Amino acid sequence: MTIGRTADDERPILEVKDLQVGFTTQNGVVKAVDGVNITLYRGQSLAIVGESGSGKSTTAHAIIKLLPGSGKITGGQILLDGVDLTAKSEREMEEVRGTGIGFVPQDPMSNLNPVWSIGFQVEEAIKANGIASGRKAVKARAIEVLKEAGLGDADRRMKQFPHQFSGGMRQRVLIGMGLAANPKLLIADEPTSALDVTVQRVILDHLESLTRDLGTTLLFITHDLGLAAERAEQLVVMYKGRVVESGSSVEILQNPQHPYTQRLVAAAPSLASRRIQASVHNEQQEIEVDHADDSAAEVIDLLSTAEARAEAVEAASHKEPAIVVEDLTKVFKIRGSGNFTAVDSISFQIARGTTTALVGESGSGKSTVAKMLLKLEDVTSGKILVGGKDLASTTGKELFNLRSRMQPVFQDPYGSLNPLRNIGNTIGEPLQVHGVGTRATRRARVLELLDQVSLPSTLVTRYPNELSGGQRQRIAIARALALKPEIVILDEAVSALDVLVQAQILRLLADLQAELDLTYLFITHDLAVVRVIADNVCVMQKGKIVEAAPTDEVFDNPKEQYTRDLLDAIPGASIELAS
Amino acid sequence: MAGYIVRRILQAVPVFLGTTFLIYFMVFAMPGDPIIALFGDKTPNPAVVAQLRERYHLDQPFIVQYFIFLGGIFRGDLGVSFSGQPVAEILAKTFPVTLRLAALAIFFEMVAGITVGLISGLRKGKLFDSSALLVSLVLISLPIFVIAFVFQLVFGVQLGWFRTTVGFGAPIQDLIMPALVLATISFAQISRLTRSSVIDTSGQDFVRTAASKGLSRRRIVPVHILRNSLIPVVTYLAVDFGTLMVGATITEGIFNVPGVGRTLYQAIIRGEGPTVVSFVTVMVLIYLVVNILVDLFYAVLDPRIRYAK
């Protein structure tokens, strides 16, 4: 406690006391937030962590009193600088928003009005809060705000519209808008979840230095424990609408008390990859392997999964390759602006029974490679050999047969299942299309598959909308496995899932690979996940493979600057874990 | 943008040729001899009949007639009606009337439809919304002639606010009632469309973000909710304007409006091929132009379309 502290400093800037939020549904009021307490002092930073549905975003929306639709604060107090916000009318809240509390929303794609220019939307925030008056002053302030947020050529881009901005640029605009009126408190609700890792890092660094310079207190909401611990001094872990643990970030990470927090720490890929990294080193130095998560009995241990893989890879390395890609190129013709080379003469091989990860940011061409492998997109030049056969010359019946040996799992478990077909029909459809077995054997196979992906057989007659995201992704995997393929192409198959579910699916994939000798092409933007599942890594940048090596080597000794940037961008890298 | 306009106009060419050919063919295929019909009960002089046939090119094969007609169109000559009046002259007299009627109807349905739709959308499920839904359903269910007669009876005869039919020169005050009748049908559509669009937009993330910036409700509603919600509504209005411009036959008939719809109807009854074909051709042109304008207008409203390559 330093001398000369004023009374202002001692009072928390934000104090949430026993907050209750309910949503009115047909079956009565559902509690989304149940007794949350948060205390945040001036100039500090605090992160609320939890999976989707934990109530973390609802808490944030309740603090700024912008709950959607039927949501209502049913109890508790929200004190901003000692003033209770729950008692304020809508008109009074308009005064608080902007100057009292700034808000940076989650999805940069949907949070800017598409019909107004960027300048217009920043200027109206400045005008509404009386920061500047007069056209010129407002415009000057808007440019200043955008420049501060990291938009260097703000004066030139003011007249442009949101769709002319990239996701990262839009998020900068949103951060600028949130800070436009110098708020005392800034709530950032998953501000970078929709962005590439390297962009995420730049934006968060910027946000951090901005709030420090302006003396803004930061309330940060995220599902990524590593990210939260790296960016905030205090952590609040939420689960099913309640706070299960809170305290200093480092302490919670090193010594999680609540079983849920322990599971989160164990499952977070950003942390797990570091732990695996650590174990590799430790083995080399013949020092005891670190097991931070031994304390929790039912922990989903990604470490052991990764260790088991090492042996399998050893065995697989002298088999013939399942997939060979040579000089593969894809050029898209764009009307008006010539050609765009999405994939630029790339070559790689995948040995049978192993996993190769194709890593890159959005727009790097990795999904185009997947589409060409599945022959859903034509090849411009180059060769793809699957099991020694040239894909280009495979047509008709042969292609039909080939498809049964090569199956995809896509990113969005909500979009990739037909909502009108029940689970049994969905999983059984490939069998039916390929005329495998009789009705009875197909049914038996569907039940077997459900068992393989650890789902109860009662799901057969259920419909996708009755299942969670993780369950749906299991269904998609079961469907991919129905025809007993040799190759499974996983295009961002775990990116849309919560960390705990993600860990479960990754484990399932590893188990299935060991059991069925599957070959995986694993496409992802998340290097942390790669560490857990892949044997070999190809890093793609702007259509080219810039680095290809075994996973350990890429992580230990990255050759390219781009790979190093990607690795550095994995959140949580700077945190000391328990040892 | 210029390339886009040129492309749209080029696309309109085959549509224009196809529709005019079809119309010409249908009029040609209508039963009865229009020239004989001109003479009514009297027995025509064969020499006069032959002269008339030659004058209207009815002695030529169908396809030749079509090309003569097309040639005329491109020279700006719309032909002459059987009564000897140039079709262009008839058009010049009737189109301004229909234009005024259409503009009035659009004005009424726009103001009422958007206002009611906006309030309904902002107060979803409340009393106002339910009442508006009820009124819309009643209006949609009623045939237009029923509404027209009720209006004539109530506002024309009982209250005496308007004349029951349109007088000479079709003054604006006489057109108000038929315009209101025309507006009732689209009012229901527009208010429902605005309502669902407003509900849709209100739930968008950027509306919440606008509120989080500290904007007042009074600013959010017009700037962020209404503006975005109007894009589909304006498209509907523009298409509706095109429809009204080509004439509202029934309403114009009931109110005796000397507009395009009524004139066309009479020409069809009398089998006046040249008038029908020329009228419909002009209508097709108007419809095509309005549709191109709608597309361009869409680009004005939505910058994503404006700046798309």
Side-chain angles (χ1 to χ4, degrees):
Chain A
M1 303 296 135
T2 40
I3 304 159
R5 256 199 167 200
T6 61
D8 240 19
D9 285 329
E10 280 157 33
R11 192 171 58 199
I13 187 121
L14 176 74
E15 204 170 357
V16 177
K17 288 181 183 166
D18 194 31
L19 180 69
Q20 316 263 347
V21 179
F23 283 89
T24 317
T25 66
Q26 285 171 327
N27 309 322
V29 177
V30 174
K31 271 192 181 171
V33 173
D34 190 6
V36 163
N37 291 294
I38 294 169
T39 310
L40 181 56
Y41 289 90
R42 194 173 298 274
Q44 274 190 338
S45 55
L46 182 143
I48 305 180
V49 192
E51 58 192 75
S52 52
S54 63
K56 58 187 193 305
S57 280
T58 306
T59 306
H61 292 151
I63 292 171
I64 195 165
K65 283 183 78 178
L66 284 175
L67 287 166
S70 60
K72 245 198 183 130
I73 297 174
T74 51
Q77 276 185 315
I78 298 164
L79 302 173
L80 182 74
D81 238 353
V83 183
D84 189 4
L85 296 184
T86 56
K88 283 192 183 276
S89 71
E90 180 54 32
R91 180 73 38 98
E92 288 168 325
M93 275 311 291
E94 282 167 9
E95 300 293 312
V96 173
R97 291 181 201 129
T99 44
I101 306 175
F103 188 77
V104 180
Q106 176 166 8
D107 181 1
M109 294 302 157
S110 65
N111 275 292
L112 289 168
N113 190 334
V115 308
W116 296 111
S117 71
I118 295 296
F120 178 91
Q121 296 187 54
V122 180
E123 282 173 15
E124 74 175 355
I126 291 163
K127 272 187 264 180
N129 292 299
I131 299 302
S133 57
R135 275 179 74 100
K136 276 191 178 163
V138 170
K139 192 178 175 201
R141 172 71 186 146
I143 292 174
E144 190 188 331
V145 161
L146 287 176
K147 280 199 169 149
E148 275 173 10
L151 221 69
D153 48 355
D155 24 2
R156 197 172 58 76
R157 303 198 70 174
M158 289 273 283
K159 282 206 186 83
Q160 289 189 316
F161 288 87
H163 72 276
Q164 293 165 304
F165 279 57
S166 69
M169 287 294 148
R170 289 184 201 203
Q171 195 54 274
R172 285 168 209 261
V173 173
L174 287 166
I175 289 173
M177 279 184 349
L179 289 169
N182 281 330
K184 296 179 218 165
L185 172 70
L186 184 74
I187 301 177
D189 183 7
E190 305 247 17
T192 55
S193 301
L195 305 175
D196 280 331
V197 274
T198 49
V199 183
Q200 168 177 321
R201 181 151 175 257
V202 174
I203 293 214
L204 289 177
D205 282 348
H206 200 82
L207 185 63
E208 204 172 287
S209 65
L210 253 184
T211 46
R212 194 173 49 234
D213 294 348
L214 298 170
T216 312
T217 311
L218 185 63
L219 178 65
F220 187 68
I221 289 160
T222 178
H223 65 276
D224 188 332
L225 195 61
L227 193 70
E230 188 176 80
R231 298 292 171 176
E233 297 148 16
Q234 305 280 318
L235 277 190
V236 169
V237 182
M238 280 187 75
Y239 179 60
K240 290 190 176 165
R242 290 169 181 276
V243 173
V244 295
E245 198 161 348
S246 63
S248 114
S249 305
V250 182
E251 231 164 80
I252 289 184
L253 223 59
Q254 289 181 344
N255 191 16
Q257 297 299 314
H258 193 275
Y260 178 74
T261 320
Q262 289 164 355
R263 279 166 62 199
L264 264 190
V265 172
S270 54
L271 301 173
S273 68
R274 286 202 51 236
R275 218 174 306 112
I276 294 164
Q277 184 75 5
S279 81
V280 172
H281 283 271
N282 290 344
E283 270 168 25
Q284 284 163 355
Q285 294 159 24
E286 288 183 48
I287 296 172
E288 202 183 335
V289 181
D290 128 48
H291 282 292
D293 39 3
D294 275 351
S295 46
E298 90 289 17
V299 151
I300 301 132
D301 192 356
L302 291 170
L303 177 54
S304 62
T305 309
E307 279 169 349
R309 290 292 310 130
E311 296 158 31
V313 178
E314 197 65 33
S317 56
H318 32 257
K319 287 190 199 162
E320 91 277 26
I323 298 174
V324 178
V325 171
E326 276 172 22
D327 275 330
L328 187 65
T329 301
K330 176 71 193 179
V331 179
F332 288 106
K333 285 195 171 57
I334 298 171
R335 199 169 55 205
S337 55
N339 292 339
F340 171 70
T341 309
V343 176
D344 195 354
S345 77
I346 65 164
S347 306
F348 63 88
Q349 297 191 353
I350 307 178
R352 194 175 301 282
T354 69
T355 301
T356 293
L358 213 50
V359 190
E361 306 197 325
S362 48
S364 61
K366 55 194 194 302
S367 283
T368 309
V369 175
K371 282 186 197 146
M372 286 193 285
L373 267 171
L374 291 163
K375 219 177 175 183
L376 299 174
E377 194 82 73
D378 286 326
V379 171
T380 306
S381 68
K383 243 198 227 169
I384 300 173
L385 302 174
V386 175
K389 252 192 204 141
D390 190 353
L391 202 60
S393 60
T394 321
T395 49
K397 187 87 182 123
E398 240 185 320
L399 179 65
F400 183 71
N401 289 335
L402 184 72
R403 289 212 194 280
S404 73
R405 292 164 46 202
M406 202 159 64
Q407 290 282 306
V409 177
F410 295 108
Q411 172 168 9
D412 180 7
Y414 290 84
S416 59
L417 299 181
N418 185 341
L420 299 180
R421 293 179 75 92
N422 71 29
I423 301 308
N425 286 335
T426 297
I427 299 177
E429 194 175 18
L431 298 170
Q432 218 175 337
V433 169
H434 285 266
V436 177
T438 63
R439 185 179 274 270
T441 58
R442 282 202 291 264
R443 198 181 146 69
R445 174 78 180 134
V446 167
L447 293 176
E448 185 191 0
L449 284 162
L450 275 174
D451 185 51
Q452 266 179 342
V453 296
S454 315
L455 287 174
S457 55
T458 50
L459 285 189
V460 164
T461 53
R462 304 266 292 274
Y463 285 84
N465 65 350
E466 300 169 60
L467 305 183
S468 71
Q471 282 177 316
R472 286 171 195 233
Q473 202 60 308
R474 283 165 194 262
I475 302 292
I477 292 170
R479 175 174 60 185
L481 295 177
L483 291 165
K484 301 187 179 164
E486 293 147 29
I487 298 164
V488 182
I489 294 175
L490 301 138
D491 189 357
E492 301 272 13
V494 297
S495 306
L497 305 173
D498 279 328
V499 274
L500 287 181
V501 184
Q502 195 177 51
Q504 286 167 10
I505 299 282
L506 287 174
R507 212 208 356 211
L508 172 71
L509 287 172
D511 288 349
L512 288 171
Q513 185 170 44
E515 199 178 316
L516 306 169
D517 196 29
L518 296 170
T519 307
Y520 290 149
L521 177 64
F522 195 90
I523 292 168
T524 182
H525 66 278
D526 189 352
L527 262 178
V529 172
V530 170
R531 191 68 176 107
V532 176
I533 187 142
D535 307 314
N536 295 291
V537 182
C538 299
V539 180
M540 279 190 81
Q541 184 188 21
K542 290 179 188 157
K544 288 193 168 114
I545 290 183
V546 294
E547 185 157 2
T551 310
D552 288 343
E553 209 173 302
V554 168
F555 274 75
D556 277 348
N557 189 15
K559 301 224 163 36
E560 289 292 318
Q561 183 57 41
Y562 182 67
T563 314
R564 272 197 288 274
D565 289 346
L566 282 178
L567 284 172
D568 288 344
I570 298 177
S574 59
I575 301 161
E576 281 294 312
L577 287 173
S579 50
Chain B
M1 203 65 212
Y4 176 73
I5 299 172
V6 169
R7 212 162 48 240
R8 280 305 307 256
I9 292 173
L10 287 180
Q11 277 171 359
V13 170
V15 175
F16 173 76
L17 290 177
T19 44
T20 50
F21 182 82
L22 214 63
I23 297 156
Y24 211 90
F25 177 74
M26 285 195 292
V27 171
F28 178 83
M30 272 202 299
D33 185 335
I35 300 294
I36 303 288
L38 276 180
F39 292 87
D41 292 338
K42 281 178 273 179
T43 315
N45 181 342
V48 177
V49 171
Q51 199 196 348
L52 280 171
R53 272 188 214 282
E54 205 192 318
R55 184 166 161 201
Y56 294 108
H57 308 293
L58 293 175
D59 51 348
Q60 309 272 1
F62 162 69
I63 197 75
V64 177
Q65 288 185 42
Y66 177 66
F67 280 109
I68 292 172
F69 157 77
L70 260 193
I73 294 271
F74 285 116
R75 275 181 276 115
D77 175 15
L78 294 173
V80 179
S81 80
F82 284 167
S83 54
Q85 208 180 1
V87 174
E89 221 168 81
I90 305 174
L91 275 171
K93 252 196 260 167
T94 55
F95 258 99
V97 176
T98 296
L99 180 66
R100 259 179 294 176
L101 182 63
L104 263 182
I106 288 287
F107 175 74
F108 289 139
E109 66 190 43
M110 185 172 76
V111 171
I114 292 176
T115 311
V116 170
L118 177 65
I119 299 173
S120 298
L122 294 175
R123 298 191 190 155
K124 188 176 80 166
K126 302 274 166 61
L127 181 66
F128 184 92
D129 184 25
S130 314
S131 322
L133 174 65
L134 192 72
V135 172
S136 306
L137 285 178
V138 169
L139 289 179
I140 288 177
S141 321
L142 286 175
I144 189 153
F145 60 85
V146 172
I147 300 174
F149 290 144
V150 170
F151 269 51
Q152 277 183 326
L153 183 67
V154 176
F155 298 114
V157 178
Q158 290 178 348
L159 293 172
W161 291 355
F162 304 104
R163 281 203 277 180
T164 48
T165 52
V166 174
F168 181 74
I172 289 282
Q173 65 267 28
D174 284 3
L175 289 176
I176 290 176
M177 197 155 59
L180 280 173
V181 170
L182 284 174
T184 50
I185 325 163
S186 295
F187 159 76
Q189 307 282 358
I190 289 168
S191 65
R192 299 318 286 169
L193 191 62
T194 309
R195 175 187 179 271
S196 61
S197 192
V198 163
I199 291 172
D200 225 40
T201 313
S202 302
Q204 295 282 321
D205 285 346
F206 60 76
V207 173
R208 189 188 58 214
T209 303
S212 78
K213 291 192 286 193
L215 301 189
S216 65
R217 191 78 186 149
R218 284 220 325 270
R219 181 172 171 88
I220 293 173
V221 169
V223 174
H224 288 283
I225 296 180
L226 191 57
R227 162 80 200 255
N228 292 56
S229 305
L230 282 186
I231 295 172
V233 178
V234 166
T235 317
Y236 179 87
L237 275 172
V239 174
D240 202 35
F241 186 67
T243 314
L244 286 172
M245 273 309 293
V246 303
T249 314
I250 296 172
T251 314
E252 287 190 358
I254 293 173
F255 289 95
N256 200 31
V257 181
V260 175
R262 200 180 59 128
T263 312
L264 179 65
Y265 177 68
Q266 286 168 349
I268 294 171
I269 295 292
R270 283 198 232 114
E272 284 198 38
T275 315
V276 173
V277 175
S278 298
F279 258 69
V280 176
T281 305
V282 174
M283 289 175 176
V284 168
L285 276 176
I286 289 178
Y287 210 80
L288 286 175
V289 169
V290 167
N291 265 294
I292 293 175
L293 287 179
V294 168
D295 281 0
L296 296 181
F297 199 49
Y298 213 92
V300 172
L301 284 172
D302 193 336
R304 284 166 294 184
I305 296 171
R306 200 183 319 158
Y307 293 97
K309 279 195 182 153

